[in-house]
């Protein structure tokens, strides 16, 4: 996990699994980065998209079935956008395999995995709900799911009641 300076974020939210660095424009959420748990919180300016994102992330932390309703600005290839859109249709408490998602959008499981790893807005765009066939957690944060990454993915899925 590469650490970025706090100044790169409009807000930093402490969670049980990491600190989330929030980036946003005046109109859209543009990114969430997993930072070390020791990264201090940074309160957003009230009335901003970053503030709205923090409020909704707290609602999610209070209730794993909370449904996000944030304006998102995501840029990527046509394929990545299709995968990210498909992930947003996976309800909290449910999972899909890379292969199932690939069939839905006429792609390959490996390409879906690559798009999941490139997701710029994790948690809100729930790449953690995409798992490997046979119930294995699969990857997370662009890495084979081990250690820190595995703990985050497992925490999110348990919090939503999917494990």
């Amino acid at each position: 996990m590469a650490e970025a300076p706090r100044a790169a974020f409009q807000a930093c939210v402490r969670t049980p699994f990491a600190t989330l660095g929030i980036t946003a424009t005046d109109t859209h959420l543009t990114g969430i980065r997993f930072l070390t748990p020791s990264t201090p919180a940074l309160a957003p300016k009230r009335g901003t998209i970053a503030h709205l994102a923090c409020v909704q992330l707290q609602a999610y932390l209070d209730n794993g079935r909370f449904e996000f309703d944030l304006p998102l600005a995501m840029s990527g290839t046509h394929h990545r956008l299709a995968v990210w859109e498909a992930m947003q249709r996976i309800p909290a408490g449910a999972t899909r395999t890379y292969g199932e998602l690939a069939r839905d959008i006429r792609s390959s499981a490996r390409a879906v995995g690559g798009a999941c790893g490139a997701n710029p807005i994790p948690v809100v765009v729930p790449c953690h709900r995409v798992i490997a066939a046979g119930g294995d957690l699969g990857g997370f944060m662009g890495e084979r799911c081990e250690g820190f990454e595995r703990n985050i993915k497992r925490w999110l899925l348990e919090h939503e009641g999917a494990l």
Side-chain angles (χ1 to χ4, degrees):
M1 165 180 36
E3 202 61 45
R6 267 181 21 136
F9 304 104
Q10 284 73 47
C12 291
V13 177
R14 303 283 308 264
T15 72
F17 51 85
T19 298
L20 302 179
I22 310 297
T23 56
T25 65
D26 289 342
T27 58
H28 293 85
L29 179 64
T30 58
I32 294 179
R33 292 233 349 238
F34 294 101
L35 308 173
T36 60
S38 61
T39 303
L42 173 65
K45 290 182 182 173
R46 285 188 143 329
T48 64
I49 294 297
H51 182 261
L52 179 60
C54 290
V55 168
Q56 290 196 20
L57 283 164
Q58 187 57 56
Y60 171 78
L61 292 171
D62 293 341
N63 173 7
R65 300 295 176 117
F66 177 81
E67 293 185 26
F68 291 97
D69 182 25
L70 294 163
L72 307 178
M74 301 177 75
S75 60
T77 64
H78 175 74
H79 178 265
R80 285 183 174 177
L81 292 170
V83 172
W84 298 335
E85 192 174 296
M87 286 189 301
Q88 290 179 76
R89 292 191 295 267
I90 305 169
T95 59
R96 302 286 310 277
T97 67
Y98 296 99
E100 289 169 338
L101 219 55
R103 278 191 299 280
D104 289 351
I105 64 166
R106 296 188 174 107
S107 182
S108 72
R110 184 174 298 264
V112 166
C116 287
N119 176 12
I121 310 177
V123 182
V124 173
V125 177
C127 52
H128 60 276
R129 296 180 190 155
V130 184
I131 62 172
D136 180 60
L137 288 183
F140 190 61
M141 297 167 46
E143 304 290 332
R144 181 73 192 132
C145 209
E146 299 173 356
F148 180 73
E149 297 87 4
R150 182 179 196 81
N151 291 340
I152 292 174
K153 188 168 185 172
R154 179 172 298 285
W155 190 96
L156 293 168
L157 290 171
E158 286 176 352
H159 179 61
E160 295 177 3
L163 288 183

